[in-house]
Amino acid sequence: MLGTQWIVKTLKEKGITTVFGYPGGQIMPLYDALYDSGIEHVLCRHEQGAAMAAIGYARSTGKTGVCIATSGPGATNIITGLADALIDSVPIVAITGQVPTKLIGTDAFQEVDVLGLSLACTKHSYLIDDAKDLPNTLEQAFNLASAGRPGPILIDVPKDIQLANLDYQHYLSPSLSKITQDNTQLYPILPDYINQAKQMITQAQKPILYIGGGVGLSGAIAELRDFMALTHIPSVSTLKGLGVADLNNPYYLGLIGMHGAKAANLAVQECDLLIALGVRFDDRVTGNLNEFARHAKVLHIDIDQAEINKLRQTHLGLQGDIKQVLPLLNQTVSINAWHQRINELKALHPTRYDHPGEAIYAPALLKKLSERKSTDTIITTDVGQHQMWTAQHMRFTHPQNFITSSGLGTMGFGLPAAVGAQMARPNDCVICISGDGSFMMNVQELTTIKRKQLPIKIVLIDNQRLGMVRQWQELFFNERYSETNLSDNPDFLMLAKAFDIPGQSISKKSQIDTALDNLFNSTGPYLLHVCIDELENVWPLVPPGAANENMLDKSGKE
């Protein structure tokens, strides 16, 4: 068979039923093979959109997402999506076309060294220069994407390799059968280390669970919630860890970090044991790293050895699958005084929604949206103020239901991610919460929504500014508002109408309930355009370089 036919065969064997992409000259043979393959291809209107749709597909299901692009600009356009997938540990396989092997290195039309470009933003990359390597490369790529700490894989396939006619089965190594996902074998934990960890937990007077995205990736949600229920150890979440913890647990404190809840940040600063689960000690979480949880011993559990001691020196680091490790640490602990302090912090720093005037207060709107949505609703966001308000004020019962660009902070992420999520879970409601800046970054994907008749709901929070940048300019750059004014935005309702998407615009609190009724009652796609005050900021905020207890509030004072 042709190389492209083998690619299609492999996709089917890996359970891939939907791919996202954009055709072009050097990938045309693969598109010919896809024509009657039975695999559904979603034509995104930009290769970056295709990569981010694949991310949305993967993150809403836990499966591997696939995106396809041609050589040159097609391949370079997916690079941002691959970088986003790498830093957020998302299993993606990207297949790009390349000029024929004899033309590589000649500066041929639409030739770019995609392998070289992708090395910094993939878990692994391949350039296939011999057709006989195709079957084993594909097998390795899908195995690597999902094994251990997931991540994106790129396969660059020259056009002549795609068209090579071989007995590919003959070259497939039987030793490349799917890598075992039994991480008890891959990452054995010595009993001595478990005993040390249990002793650290028993001796702690003020322990905190620091929950990251790795918990959800390991499928350890039930184990984590059982651990929380048995130990009653207070807990906080990173942005990518939202949805993991049991929201009804009385000692769950919510989001931590630069825009984290005050009670969560203060509790971590007071703790004497930080149990770090699948986290990176990201700077947006820790603030001043030297001051982060400065009184605490650190017990760090992660499947990726590279994360342990990378930024924060641990007292005990366990490389392993959290799903396997957590049940080994189950025990009862006595921390009544710490519970009283946690309750005190929560009482001292409640979330408030009493906003004066008639204008819409975005946190209150999002709280209402959260209360109205079903538990299976998928929320995607772009990046900026609306993203942080969503993380602060909406509640999620599973990490697959909250899809946001956490580590890379990619504007333009929300809309294509919603496309991927809706394709993956057609029976669930998908809502994209965006800002007027981010929305314009990949607005062309409204055409994808139209073509596929996807019932995606869009909540567009419009302050006619690049809100988060403007907020920083206000606080840290002497109100010198350089290039953050978006008052020349298009008429977003008219724009949506051009793609046959109905909607409405609101600007007063009194309009919210009816608007949400219209949003949820719409059977197809819908745009709710929400106008808010340009001067609204996200609070609290830990200034850059400050310790997490030094939060700014709405008055601008510590």
Side-chain angles (χ1 to χ4, degrees):
M1 60 174 63
L2 298 179
T4 54
Q5 293 171 323
W6 184 267
I7 293 172
V8 168
K9 176 179 180 292
T10 302
L11 291 175
K12 289 183 174 181
E13 289 174 349
K14 299 302 179 185
I16 305 300
T17 57
T18 305
V19 298
F20 306 86
Y22 201 97
Q26 304 301 341
I27 198 65
M28 214 175 295
L30 179 55
Y31 272 83
D32 185 65
L34 286 169
Y35 180 78
D36 52 6
S37 67
I39 295 174
E40 184 171 15
H41 179 277
V42 179
L43 179 67
C44 296
R45 297 309 173 95
H46 191 288
E47 292 88 354
Q48 183 183 106
M52 292 175 183
I55 292 173
Y57 185 96
R59 287 187 57 177
S60 63
T61 60
K63 300 177 181 178
T64 298
V66 175
C67 58
I68 301 172
T70 194
S71 65
T76 60
N77 280 343
I78 70 168
I79 290 293
T80 300
L82 295 178
D84 192 283
L86 180 68
I87 201 165
D88 278 348
S89 303
V90 185
I92 297 293
V93 172
I95 302 172
T96 53
Q98 183 56 275
V99 300
T101 51
K102 66 180 180 181
L103 293 180
I104 292 176
T106 68
D107 295 328
F109 177 67
Q110 291 192 332
E111 182 199 358
V112 170
D113 178 10
V114 182
L115 177 70
L117 282 174
S118 66
L119 290 177
C121 60
T122 56
K123 186 177 179 182
H124 198 78
S125 296
Y126 301 88
L127 168 61
I128 301 179
D129 56 10
D130 187 333
K132 296 174 183 178
D133 295 333
L134 181 63
N136 290 332
T137 300
L138 288 167
E139 195 72 25
Q140 287 176 349
F142 277 94
N143 287 345
L144 280 172
S146 58
R149 180 178 182 173
I153 309 294
L154 180 131
I155 313 171
D156 201 28
V157 191
K159 192 172 185 178
D160 57 321
I161 303 294
Q162 297 176 50
L163 295 170
N165 197 347
L166 294 175
D167 177 8
Y168 288 98
Q169 188 70 47
H170 176 73
Y171 300 103
L172 181 62
S173 171
S175 65
L176 282 173
S177 59
K178 184 171 175 58
I179 293 175
T180 177
Q181 294 300 297
D182 183 358
N183 289 323
T184 57
Q185 297 177 24
L186 292 175
Y187 307 102
I189 303 295
L190 295 177
D192 285 351
Y193 289 143
I194 295 298
N195 291 334
Q196 288 180 46
K198 293 179 74 171
Q199 187 176 31
M200 290 174 70
I201 294 171
T202 301
Q203 293 175 348
Q205 298 299 308
K206 299 179 179 181
I208 282 277
L209 292 174
Y210 167 26
I211 303 167
V215 180
L217 290 174
S218 72
I221 296 170
E223 288 78 6
L224 185 279
R225 292 178 181 179
D226 288 344
F227 186 82
M228 290 172 62
L230 177 64
T231 64
H232 300 296
I233 294 176
S235 56
V236 298
S237 286
T238 67
L239 185 62
K240 197 160 180 280
L242 294 175
V244 172
D246 180 2
L247 297 176
N248 295 317
N249 187 292
Y251 305 113
Y252 175 61
L253 293 159
L255 184 69
I256 184 182
M258 178 173 281
H259 294 292
K262 284 188 177 182
N265 278 339
L266 293 173
V268 170
Q269 293 301 92
E270 294 181 19
C271 76
D272 64 2
L273 176 64
L274 191 68
I275 306 172
L277 304 173
V279 299
R280 299 184 295 114
F281 286 88
D282 177 74
D283 61 291
R284 286 294 172 105
V285 168
T286 66
N288 185 328
L289 184 61
N290 293 328
E291 297 294 317
F292 180 65
R294 55 184 172 272
H295 307 298
K297 292 182 178 179
V298 175
L299 168 60
H300 191 175
I301 307 171
D302 205 290
I303 205 166
D304 187 353
Q305 182 65 45
E307 291 299 340
I308 298 174
N309 295 318
K310 184 178 80 173
L311 291 173
R312 176 66 179 263
Q313 194 68 30
T314 65
H315 294 77
L316 180 62
L318 302 179
Q319 183 191 11
D321 186 343
I322 294 168
K323 185 178 180 68
Q324 306 295 336
V325 175
L326 264 184
L328 302 178
L329 302 180
N330 278 335
Q331 60 190 307
T332 57
V333 295
S334 179
I335 47 174
N336 292 334
W338 184 224
H339 287 158
Q340 292 175 13
R341 176 57 178 160
I342 294 298
N343 290 333
E344 178 184 322
L345 288 172
K346 292 173 74 171
L348 286 171
H349 305 288
T351 303
R352 296 180 58 176
Y353 297 98
D354 51 338
H355 186 265
E358 296 184 355
I360 292 173
Y361 182 47
L365 167 80
L366 293 170
K367 181 177 183 289
K368 280 194 173 184
L369 179 66
S370 183
E371 293 168 347
R372 294 281 299 271
K373 71 178 177 64
S374 67
T375 56
D376 292 330
T377 296
I378 303 168
I379 300 294
T380 72
T381 80
D382 276 290
V383 171
Q385 288 179 315
H386 68 277
Q387 177 193 31
M388 293 297 100
W389 283 324
T390 300
Q392 291 174 330
H393 305 289
M394 296 192 73
R395 292 163 65 86
F396 306 98
T397 58
H398 198 287
Q400 290 179 355
N401 295 336
F402 179 50
I403 303 172
T404 190
S405 177
S406 303
L408 195 63
T410 310
M411 293 178 68
F413 176 86
L415 196 61
V419 168
Q422 190 73 83
M423 290 299 301
R425 291 164 54 181
N427 297 322
D428 290 329
C429 177
V430 177
I431 303 175
C432 171
I433 300 173
S434 189
D436 52 315
S438 289
F439 187 67
M440 296 299 291
M441 287 271 189
N442 274 316
V443 70
Q444 76 284 339
E445 299 311 325
L446 292 176
T447 306
T448 310
I449 292 174
K450 176 184 177 181
R451 169 175 283 210
K452 302 301 291 186
Q453 288 297 293
L454 301 176
I456 294 169
K457 320 304 179 191
I458 302 165
V459 177
L460 178 55
I461 298 178
D462 182 3
N463 56 7
Q464 299 196 344
R465 297 293 185 274
L466 285 176
M468 191 61 84
V469 182
R470 184 213 59 77
Q471 178 171 341
W472 278 51
Q473 288 174 340
E474 174 190 340
L475 296 173
F476 310 122
F477 290 88
N478 300 315
E479 300 183 14
R480 291 164 58 86
Y481 298 119
S482 178
E483 300 303 319
T484 49
N485 188 321
L486 302 181
S487 57
D488 54 354
N489 276 331
D491 182 328
F492 287 113
L493 290 183
M494 186 179 294
L495 178 64
K497 186 177 181 181
F499 297 94
D500 298 332
I501 298 174
Q504 72 177 109
S505 183
I506 61 174
S507 58
K508 296 181 180 180
K509 293 176 182 176
S510 58
Q511 299 171 304
I512 291 177
D513 288 334
T514 300
L516 291 181
D517 287 340
N518 295 335
L519 177 88
F520 284 110
N521 291 335
S522 63
T523 57
Y526 192 87
L527 173 69
L528 176 58
H529 177 231
V530 182
C531 300
I532 66 168
D533 190 328
E534 69 191 57
L535 297 178
E536 285 291 351
N537 289 331
V538 180
W539 305 110
L541 182 149
V542 178
N548 276 0
E549 68 263 31
N550 295 325
M551 292 167 277
L552 301 180
D553 61 19
K554 193 167 186 177
S555 67
K557 299 178 180 179
E558 291 187 10

